[in-house]
Amino acid sequence: MNKAELIKSVATGANVSQAVAGKMLTTLQEAIENALIHGDKVSVRGFGTFAISDHAARYYHHPQTGETKMARSYRTVRFVPSGEIKSRLN
């Protein structure tokens, strides 16, 4: 499902126009982004949790030259689905 299909599904489920559903989805996305940028985690009961995951710097070997290089540390978004979603999938 892509964003357009998600908007259409939300519009149908909430009985609103696709423009309003698109605005709702964009607002939700911005709210989650802002919370994560500020270091908060976002938990939606029955759906899951969005959180920031920090990855430390590490050494690796370049496959062509064989030299050892340093990979920078980085942050990424992690999503952990709720138990309800996990049980429905299995």
Side-chain angles (χ1 to χ4, degrees), residues 47-62:
F47 182 66
T49 302
F50 294 92
I52 294 293
S53 180
D54 293 317
H55 296 273
R58 63 180 180 84
Y59 290 101
Y60 70 95
H61 294 284
H62 190 279

Side-chain angles (χ1 to χ4, degrees), residues 24-66:
M24 290 174 10
L25 185 61
T26 301
T27 304
L28 176 65
Q29 180 181 350
E30 290 171 356
I32 292 171
E33 285 177 10
N34 288 334
L36 292 173
I37 287 170
H38 289 93
D40 299 330
K41 69 179 184 179
V42 179
S43 296
V44 180
R45 188 175 195 156
F47 182 66
T49 302
F50 294 92
I52 294 293
S53 180
D54 293 317
H55 296 273
R58 63 180 180 84
Y59 290 101
Y60 70 95
H61 294 284
H62 190 279
Q64 291 179 341
T65 63

